[in-house]
C-alpha cells in the first residue's frame, strides 16, 4: 500500500451538524475607517480547551556521518487530491505542551526518538482563511542510538505515511524534483527549503 494508491470517490457540500473537524464562522468587525465588515473563517473543532495552539510541526534533523538530513513524509491529502510532501506533524492532546506533542507525534509517525532543541513562536497557517495555528518544534535525532535502529511507527487507522529523508543542503532542489514527479509541497516544507536556499545564497 502507498499513499499514491488513494483517490477521491466523491465530493459535495458538508452540513455543519455532520462536520467533525471544522466549522465555518461569519465574523463581523470594524475596519480602520469605522465601517462594519464581514469575513468568513474556517475554524478547527479539535483544539483542546485552554490550549493556545492546534498542533505542532516538527523539523527533525538526523545527524549522519554523511551530513545532516531532514525527515519528510509522503501522505495523500483529500482536499487537494494529491500526495503531499510534509514534515511530521499532529494535533496536541489536552494538557500537552508543544514539546511533548512533538516527541509523541515523531515517535508515532516515524518511529524515531528525538530531543527537542527549539520551539518557535506561534505561527498562523493561513490567517486570511482560518484561525489554525501551530508551533514548529526543532528536534535532533541521533541515528546511532539503539532506539533509532529498528523503527516501528505507530500509525492510526486510516493513516498511510511513507517516511524518507533528504540532505538539508539539497532540500530546495529536491522539492522542485518532487513537484515535477506530481507531488504537492506542503508550505512548511517549502518555507524550510527556501530559508536554507536564502542562507546559502546570501552566505548567512
Amino acid at each position: 500500500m502507498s499513499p499514491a494508491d488513494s483517490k477521491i470517490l466523491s465530493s459535495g457540500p458538508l452540513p455543519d451538524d455532520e462536520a467533525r473537524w471544522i466549522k465555518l464562522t461569519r465574523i463581523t468587525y470594524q475596519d480602520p475607517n469605522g465601517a462594519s465588515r464581514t469575513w468568513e473563517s474556517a475554524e478547527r473543532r479539535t483544539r483542546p480547551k485552554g490550549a493556545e495552539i492546534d498542533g505542532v510541526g516538527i523539523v527533525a534533523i538526523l545527524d549522519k556521518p554523511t551530513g545532516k538530513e531532514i525527515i519528510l513524509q509522503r501522505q495523500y491529502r483529500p482536499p487537494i487530491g494529491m500526495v503531499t510532501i510534509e514534515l511530521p506533524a499532529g494535533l496536541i492532546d489536552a494538557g500537552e505542551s508543544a514539546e511533548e506533542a512533538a516527541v509523541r507525534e515523531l515517535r508515532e509517525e516515524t518511529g524515531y526518538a528525538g530531543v527537542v532543541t527549539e520551539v518557535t513562536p506561534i505561527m498562523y497557517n493561513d490567517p486570511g482563511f482560518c484561525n489554525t495555528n501551530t508551533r514548529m518544534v526543532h528536534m535532533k535525532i541521533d541515528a546511532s542510538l539503539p532506539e533509532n535502529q529498528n523503527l516501528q511507527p505507530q500509525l492510526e487507522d486510516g493513516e498511510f505515511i511513507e517516511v524518507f529523508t533528504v540532505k538539508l543542503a539539497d532540500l530546495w532542489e529536491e522539492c522542485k524534483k518532487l513537484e515535477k514527479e506530481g507531488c504537492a509541497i506542503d508550505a512548511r516544507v517549502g518555507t524550510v527549503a527556501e530559508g536554507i536556499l536564502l542562507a546559502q545564497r546570501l552566505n548567512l
Side-chain angles (χ1 to χ4, degrees):
M1 292 183 294
S2 165
D5 295 327
S6 301
K7 61 181 179 180
I8 293 174
L9 300 178
S10 65
S11 178
L14 175 65
D16 185 69
D17 60 358
E18 294 181 18
R20 298 172 54 199
W21 306 104
I22 60 172
K23 66 177 179 179
L24 297 179
T25 301
R26 179 186 291 111
I27 300 170
T28 303
Y29 72 102
Q30 180 176 293
D31 74 13
N33 293 323
S36 178
R37 297 182 181 276
T38 60
W39 200 279
E40 296 176 1
S41 172
E43 299 179 6
R44 282 192 178 274
R45 297 180 185 266
T46 54
R47 186 183 298 181
K49 186 176 181 179
E52 62 179 2
I53 56 174
D54 293 297
V56 294
I58 306 163
V59 181
I61 306 300
L62 276 168
D63 275 330
K64 290 188 173 182
T66 54
K68 296 184 185 298
E69 299 184 8
I70 188 168
I71 296 176
L72 299 177
Q73 300 179 164
R74 291 183 180 88
Q75 187 168 189
Y76 181 80
R77 292 301 192 181
I80 59 174
M82 298 174 70
V83 172
T84 61
I85 305 301
E86 305 178 2
L87 299 172
L91 302 177
I92 66 167
D93 290 339
E96 198 173 39
S97 68
E99 294 91 335
E100 291 168 337
V103 170
R104 173 182 56 77
E105 286 288 350
L106 184 70
R107 174 73 83 166
E108 290 176 358
E109 292 189 350
T110 72
Y112 281 108
V115 176
V116 174
T117 60
E118 187 79 25
V119 179
T120 70
I122 296 175
M123 299 181 179
Y124 291 83
N125 300 2
D126 191 349
F129 168 67
C130 64
N131 72 340
T132 301
N133 62 12
T134 187
R135 287 189 188 273
M136 300 301 293
V137 180
H138 302 181
M139 298 184 69
K140 181 179 179 180
I141 298 171
D142 186 342
S144 69
L145 294 177
E147 57 264 40
N148 290 324
Q149 300 302 309
N150 184 26
L151 302 177
Q152 298 292 330
Q154 302 163 10
L155 299 178
E156 297 178 9
D157 182 44
E159 279 189 318
F160 302 92
I161 297 173
E162 291 179 354
V163 178
F164 65 107
T165 64
V166 172
K167 287 187 176 181
L168 269 178
D170 300 336
L171 184 55
W172 179 260
E173 292 302 321
E174 188 66 21
C175 284
K176 293 197 293 185
K177 175 185 172 185
L178 288 164
E179 183 183 47
K180 288 181 180 179
E181 293 174 357
C183 294
I185 308 300
D186 180 88
R188 286 171 289 192
V189 173
T191 299
V192 171
E194 189 174 12
I196 293 171
L197 178 71
L198 287 171
Q200 291 169 337
R201 291 185 176 176
L202 300 177
N203 295 317
L204 299 179

